[in-house]
Amino acid sequence: MKGTYLGEFEEVVLLAVAIRAGDAYGAAVVTEIEQQMNRPVNLGAVHSALNRLQEKGLVTSAMGGISAERGGRRKRLYTVTMAGRRALEEIRQLRNQMWDTIPKTAWS
């Protein structure tokens, strides 16, 4: 397993996988990120991030069922692992801690 340091984009992809719980495949993750962040996202970049997250043990994947709308092809579905959940919780805690320590004078 690689280190668990997450770049910003990996964090966003991991969050999108968590949001799409049970229905997180490449195109759905792209759609989720685009809707949440109101910015375009490249499918290839999402697939690369998903591969890195899987190498780090933060997501797992399995092939979904065959669907007629995909011409009989199956989707690779991603799920956040416990390690992925811990990583997201640690990032959230760190970000909140940092926000809480900004002095009020910094905003004047």
Side-chain angles (χ1 to χ4, degrees):
M1 179 192 315
K2 285 187 172 183
T4 55
Y5 171 79
L6 290 180
E8 178 189 6
F9 189 67
E10 288 176 329
E11 178 184 348
V12 168
V13 170
L14 187 56
L15 284 165
V17 171
I19 291 167
R20 298 293 304 207
D23 189 37
Y25 58 96
V29 171
V30 167
T31 300
E32 188 65 42
I33 294 169
E34 288 179 343
Q35 288 175 351
Q36 293 283 344
M37 300 186 74
N38 197 29
R39 72 177 207 199
V41 178
N42 180 287
L43 179 61
V46 167
H47 278 293
S48 293
L50 288 167
N51 288 334
R52 288 191 305 274
L53 291 169
Q54 192 161 9
E55 288 174 1
K56 293 176 182 183
L58 303 179
V59 298
T60 58
S61 71
M63 295 306 288
I66 295 171
S67 66
E69 76 238 12
R70 292 178 44 87
R73 295 190 337 256
R74 296 165 36 157
K75 299 175 187 173
R76 180 167 296 279
L77 300 171
Y78 293 87
T79 305
V80 177
T81 63
M82 285 305 293
R85 180 180 172 151
R86 277 193 305 274
L88 286 173
E89 288 172 353
E90 288 170 8
I91 290 167
R92 183 180 191 181
Q93 181 180 5
L94 175 62
R95 288 185 191 275
N96 287 343
Q97 177 183 326
M98 291 180 75
W99 273 101
D100 292 344
T101 59
I102 295 174
K104 295 199 185 321
T105 57
W107 302 115
S108 53

